Amino acid sequence: MNSDWIGVATLVVVHLGFAALLGAFARRAADLPGRSAAFLAALAYFGSSLSLPLALWPKAGLSLASAGLFAYFGRQHAPANWQARLAWLYAGFAMLLILGWSAAQGWFSPLASLGAAAGWAGVLAWRRGLSATG
């Protein structure tokens, strides 16, 4: 079914986005409670990777990509305008994937409710991301 591959693609994109976001949170954690919370969140996140509906090799590749994104955003000090642009473009892409998934369901209700909202949010996020300056 078409919605299966769209659903898996959406899950992968959201999963990778969480890895980058957790890395950014870990970088900003300054005190022991903050670092402990970031560590526990990362542990729970990587533990949740085990339950993804993928075969062993794609799951291993996704785990490596997630670890790479986590490390990159945990150490990288990118300019603020680049971070804002990337965040908006990522959000837009994820929303447009959700629109695609809801359209592939084959019935009107998901498309009219979730799909319309996700599509509109995706367009607005891409518009903002393409014009982001900070």
Side-chain angles (χ1 to χ4, degrees), residues 69-107:
L69 282 169
F70 180 83
Y72 178 78
F73 282 92
R75 293 191 172 261
Q76 183 67 17
H77 295 285
N81 64 344
W82 184 83
Q83 288 179 348
R85 182 177 302 244
L86 181 63
W88 284 111
L89 293 175
Y90 164 77
F93 183 68
M95 290 298 109
L96 294 176
L97 275 173
I98 292 169
L99 169 64
W101 175 84
S102 62
Q105 292 306 303
W107 50 297

Side-chain angles (χ1 to χ4, degrees), residues 6-115:
I6 295 172
V8 169
T10 304
L11 190 62
V12 166
V13 166
V14 170
H15 197 74
L16 291 173
F18 279 139
L21 184 63
L22 279 173
F25 284 153
R27 182 185 66 222
R28 289 183 177 90
D31 55 354
L32 184 61
R35 287 183 180 157
S36 298
F39 175 76
L40 290 174
L43 191 62
Y45 166 79
F46 285 106
S48 72
S49 298
L50 299 174
S51 65
L52 291 172
L54 299 172
L56 178 63
W57 288 111
K59 193 182 296 188
L62 182 61
S63 294
L64 285 174
S66 297
L69 282 169
F70 180 83
Y72 178 78
F73 282 92
R75 293 191 172 261
Q76 183 67 17
H77 295 285
N81 64 344
W82 184 83
Q83 288 179 348
R85 182 177 302 244
L86 181 63
W88 284 111
L89 293 175
Y90 164 77
F93 183 68
M95 290 298 109
L96 294 176
L97 275 173
I98 292 169
L99 169 64
W101 175 84
S102 62
Q105 292 306 303
W107 50 297
F108 185 71
S109 181
L111 183 59
S113 58
L114 181 64

